Amino acid sequence: MATAVTAGLVPLATTTAAGAGGLPDCAPASPGGPVFVTDRCVDPDLREPYTDVDEQRVTTDPATGTTVRYRYIHGGFTGTNARFSFYFPAAEKYQGRFFEYTYPTIAEEDATPATIAFALSHGAYAVSTNNGGGVTAAPVLGGYRVNAAAAKYSRVVADGVYRKPGRPRGYIYGGSGGAYQTLGALENTSGVWDGGVPMVPGVPNAIPSFQASQVLALRVLADKLPQIADAVAPGGSGDPYAGLTPVQAGVLREVTRLGFPPRGWWQYGSMYGGSFGAVQAVVRATDPGYVNDFWNVPGYEGADDPAVAAARVQYDTTIQSLVGTPATGVVLAGLPAGDLTGADLVVTSGAAAGKSLTFGAIDGNTVSFPWGADPAVTNALAAGDRVRIDTSWSVALQYYQRHSVPGTDQYGWNQYRGAGGAPVYAQRPYLVGPLLAANAGGAAPTGRFHGKMIMLASTMDIQAYSWSADWYAKRATPARGGQTSDSFRLWYMDNADHVAPEAIGPGAAAHVVGYTGEWQRALLDLDAWVTRGVRPPASSRYTVDADSQVTVAATAGQRGGVQPVVALTARAARGKPAADRVEVVAGQPVAFTARASTPPGAGKIVKVEWDFVGAGTFPDPARGVRVGPEANVDATHVYGAPGTYFAVVRVTAQRDGDPRTPFALVQNLDTVRVVVR
């Protein structure tokens, strides 16, 4: 084992390869199943670990301003592209645990400053891998096996770093595709991690249906989205179907029943189907016959419905010039009318003839290539090349959810069944969704996990619809003998999306909160649960309606979880009833009242902030807020100009009631509409 040791560091104690000691090879638990990894077997493809860097480093997390110093050890597994990085805090800060973040497309083993800072600030070392180069490059090892091998070997290295007795406790966590990986890790290993935190998960059949249905709605509802968003916003009519044509109403009802949250339409202007552009290439490769069937075989909308056929675009034009060197896009001689989301640019002349690229962003006649575009194609393009803009695949995929119906347990798809339970649309020969879920996580999730788990989900998730977490909870309960209170929690986050507000864009913080503080809280609670038997706050109480929409309980005492519950009302004058909508004249004061409380065991409120115009900046912190389980705050604001404003209050709670720490801060918000005449 080669080790580069910086002067002044204590060399690692002699370590043994993961395969030493006569341990057997890890093997599938059932014929044809995924390899099951334990602490008493060796992954046959990852049996020879090595380290090649060992040095002191310093990292500052720009988001929190936290600076940490640590021992950095880098290495990999001989004969593979699997690499890892370990980040060890000083011995006096080490608390005998590690945290391991994962996401399937991560192909670099260096952890982010945020994950390093959080782990080391809480006495844990951080483990990070490259998933063997990312799951696309390493479909066999990338799901969970590289993570597992690195986690196991990290304990060997930690023993050399600290030379203290005791097995380090370990926890894996990740969101979206990383949730698939976390579930795959906990379901297909034992004794590797003590628990995990999957965040914003999807059901096994989510890809590409969740993304495709959103793109369908964006196209069909394009001119009605502003009124739909207004109807479901605070103080709106509450009827998003008002004024829609039968076709539009049908599509809105379809995507809602599949799980898209109606409140999520506030961001219609920046929606593009999430990862639709990335996953559609995989669907094309996995189910190449779908596009021909869709446009030519009865039973598919492209063959049966003239309105769908009319949405198809096939338009010939030429490349006027290239954008960037190497090319990152092209300027075309012309673009057709119609929705070009996910369209193909098919090259019909020149060096790249016969090749195609998928559209990225469109700005006038300039089309950008998406991340990951094939350089063999982009580098062969030239001005004057003839091209065809073709939406055959992108339009066909917008209906894929209808033709890929899973079992009845994934109930968002039951809308596509007839009275007898059989699908009403032509079906594909196999389900692509579980294959893609298995590719991300190493195996499709089943509900049979090992260790302890705290799952996090968002009620306004527009990419991994929130009922997915309910599906997993329903699978986990019978898998664990009907009793999950000693091993499983599901915390729903209200007013939260799939990604953080800053990843959505300016102003997003007026609509949704992030969940960084929640996963930090979950990891700390998970370790307390494992080591001391301290039970985390109860799972959220919620209902799922006939439209697959998740609604959390109204009060903090009922709701559970760890997120504060917030209620904001406004009134125009003394004696008027408080409401979520108020109308005033310019210059007339508006009185606001915010009431907030934390669920049992969820911590204490440490901050209340106001944003009276809904810009997402929260420039007005409430003064005199006492740290505690409740906060009752009043404020008055005068609007000087006519318009419609959305006033927002944001409340922050902290696990230990510490108003100074940047970690484990859990937020929620509420909004009212103010109409100024």
Side-chain angles (χ1 to χ4, degrees):
M1 180 181 66
T3 304
V5 181
T6 301
L9 294 183
V10 177
L12 293 177
T14 301
T15 59
T16 58
L23 297 178
D25 283 353
C26 302
S30 59
V35 170
F36 191 80
V37 180
T38 76
D39 55 347
R40 302 303 301 163
C41 69
V42 180
D43 192 312
D45 297 313
L46 298 162
R47 62 171 59 251
E48 296 185 21
Y50 64 86
T51 62
D52 52 14
V53 178
D54 186 345
E55 61 190 23
Q56 290 286 358
R57 289 188 177 183
V58 179
T59 291
T60 298
D61 172 24
T64 63
T66 303
T67 297
V68 289
R69 293 171 173 78
Y70 53 91
R71 185 171 178 177
Y72 172 81
I73 295 178
H74 175 276
F77 291 88
T78 301
T80 75
N81 290 323
R83 304 288 183 269
F84 57 76
S85 294
F86 303 149
Y87 306 78
F88 295 100
E92 64 272 16
K93 297 182 179 180
Y94 177 55
Q95 297 181 29
R97 59 191 180 191
F98 70 84
F99 299 143
E100 182 172 3
Y101 173 76
T102 189
Y103 190 78
T105 60
I106 290 178
E108 297 292 333
E109 60 274 20
D110 286 338
T112 66
T115 58
I116 298 169
F118 171 74
L120 273 66
S121 295
H122 292 85
Y125 66 85
V127 174
S128 183
T129 82
N130 71 342
N131 296 298
V135 296
T136 301
V140 175
L141 300 179
Y144 64 90
R145 289 171 61 184
V146 172
N147 283 335
K152 290 169 65 175
Y153 187 58
S154 78
R155 292 188 172 100
V156 177
V157 178
D159 183 60
V161 169
Y162 297 114
R163 304 189 181 183
K164 295 179 179 179
R167 168 188 173 277
R169 308 173 302 279
Y171 307 95
I172 187 168
Y173 66 107
S176 190
Y180 282 134
Q181 285 193 289
T182 301
L183 294 172
L186 296 182
E187 292 187 355
N188 297 288
T189 72
S190 178
V192 177
W193 295 280
D194 297 273
V197 180
M199 302 173 281
V200 292
V203 292
N205 203 49
I207 305 171
S209 293
F210 287 177
Q211 297 92 337
S213 62
Q214 183 185 127
V215 176
L216 171 65
L218 288 170
R219 176 174 63 81
V220 175
L221 301 172
D223 63 331
K224 299 296 177 62
L225 289 174
Q227 71 184 55
I228 292 171
D230 185 75
V232 297
S237 70
D239 182 9
Y241 295 94
L244 302 187
T245 68
V247 171
Q248 290 172 328
V251 167
L252 178 58
R253 187 170 293 108
E254 174 184 357
V255 69
T256 302
R257 287 180 175 172
L258 196 58
F260 186 95
R263 290 186 295 158
W265 287 117
W266 69 268
Q267 54 178 307
Y268 66 86
S270 60
M271 284 185 195
Y272 52 89
S275 57
F276 180 72
V279 303
Q280 68 162 316
V282 182
V283 179
R284 295 183 191 200
T286 307
D287 191 4
Y290 173 68
V291 68
N292 180 72
D293 291 349
F294 183 84
W295 295 109
N296 297 289
V297 176
Y300 291 88
E301 294 81 354
D304 295 345
D305 189 339
V308 175
R312 186 184 192 184
V313 173
Q314 293 179 306
Y315 178 86
D316 294 317
T317 185
T318 59
I319 296 176
Q320 286 191 327
S321 60
L322 303 182
V323 177
T325 305
T328 59
V330 291
V331 178
L332 300 176
L335 264 75
D339 186 349
L340 303 180
T341 302
D344 288 319
L345 187 73
V346 183
V347 186
T348 57
S349 74
K355 305 293 185 180
S356 66
L357 296 162
T358 303
F359 272 34
I362 303 172
D363 183 8
N365 282 5
T366 300
V367 175
S368 299
F369 304 140
W371 178 87
D374 187 352
V377 180
T378 60
N379 292 339
L381 296 175
D385 286 352
R386 294 189 298 275
V387 294
R388 169 170 288 187
I389 299 170
D390 192 341
T391 65
S392 296
W393 260 110
S394 59
V395 172
L397 284 172
Q398 292 171 19
Y399 297 88
Y400 200 82
Q401 63 277 5
R402 301 181 182 180
H403 305 285
S404 188
V405 177
T408 56
D409 60 308
Q410 296 183 59
Y411 47 80
W413 280 267
N414 288 343
Q415 62 181 302
Y416 304 124
R417 299 181 187 277
V424 297
Y425 295 100
Q427 294 297 293
R428 304 309 298 157
Y430 51 84
L431 295 176
V432 169
L435 297 178
L436 298 184
N439 179 256
T446 65
R448 296 183 294 273
F449 67 92
H450 301 85
K452 297 184 186 298
M453 180 188 298
I454 299 178
M455 176 174 279
L456 308 182
S458 299
T459 63
M460 287 177 64
D461 194 328
I462 67 169
Q463 296 188 50
Y465 301 152
S466 60
W467 66 269
S468 299
D470 173 68
W471 173 87
Y472 193 85
K474 285 181 167 62
R475 300 283 291 187
T477 299
R480 301 185 81 81
Q483 177 57 259
T484 57
S485 63
D486 63 344
S487 59
F488 179 78
R489 294 288 187 273
L490 168 53
W491 294 343
Y492 269 109
M493 301 165 286
D494 201 19
N495 300 303
D497 193 5
H498 195 71
V499 296
E502 54 268 25
I504 299 173
H511 299 269
V512 291
V513 296
Y515 51 87
T516 295
E518 197 136 7
W519 65 251
Q520 293 172 346
R521 166 73 190 260
L523 286 172
L524 298 176
D525 282 8
L526 198 60
D527 189 52
W529 200 7
V530 167
T531 57
R532 304 193 305 276
V534 178
R535 289 177 174 262
S539 291
S540 300
R541 293 184 180 90
Y542 60 92
T543 59
V544 184
D545 65 19
D547 282 345
S548 307
Q549 297 299 310
V550 173
T551 301
V552 289
T555 67
Q558 298 170 331
R559 185 174 298 185
V562 295
Q563 189 183 40
V565 177
V566 187
L568 176 63
T569 57
R571 53 185 172 81
R574 189 180 301 276
K576 292 284 185 73
D580 65 354
R581 177 188 178 111
V582 64
E583 297 190 17
V584 298
V585 297
Q588 181 181 1
V590 179
F592 299 96
T593 299
R595 300 289 182 261
S597 56
T598 55
K604 298 177 181 179
I605 294 169
V606 297
K607 185 189 300 185
V608 177
E609 303 165 281
W610 293 99
D611 180 357
F612 295 112
V613 298
T617 56
F618 297 94
D620 299 304
R623 302 186 183 280
V625 176
R626 294 184 178 180
V627 174
E630 296 183 351
N632 299 315
V633 181
D634 297 317
T636 300
H637 188 76
V638 176
Y639 295 87
T644 298
Y645 301 88
F646 289 92
V648 189
V649 66
R650 185 170 67 185
V651 176
T652 302
Q654 205 279 332
R655 180 177 186 257
D656 303 309
D658 184 351
R660 295 172 297 278
T661 179
F663 300 111
L665 300 173
V666 181
Q667 296 182 324
N668 201 353
L669 55 77
D670 199 15
T671 308
V672 296
R673 183 188 302 234
V674 180
V675 180
V676 182
R677 305 297 183 189

